[in-house]
Amino acid sequence: KTVGLFEVLASQVGREVKNQIIIQVHLTHKDIASFLGTTRETASVQISKLKKNGILAQHGNVFIIKDIDKLQK
């Protein structure tokens, strides 16, 4: 579910910069959980896994998809 949300965000509001996709939106982990119909804790764990695997980075309100191919697998 989390991957699907980031795929949608990438296609709708993302912009490609140096082979990465920059998503600049004001979304908290609680907001993401609400979209996904899950708890904030679960959403946070899923986002942390994406970060740990080098797929996603976050700097404030900016999410960076570092590897779109890995995200889509």
Side-chain angles (χ1 to χ4, degrees), residues 14-59:
R15 58 186 168 86
E16 190 168 343
V17 177
K18 297 181 182 178
N19 297 323
Q20 298 180 340
I21 298 175
I22 309 299
I23 302 167
Q24 190 165 358
V25 291
H26 181 72
L27 285 177
T28 65
H29 288 200
K30 185 176 178 180
D31 295 330
I32 291 169
S34 180
F35 284 127
L36 299 175
T38 189
T39 65
R40 183 202 52 79
E41 292 83 2
T42 299
S44 293
V45 166
Q46 294 301 316
I47 292 167
S48 292
K49 285 181 183 179
L50 292 172
K51 290 177 181 177
K52 182 178 178 183
N53 290 328
I55 298 169
L56 184 72
Q58 182 180 3
H59 303 285

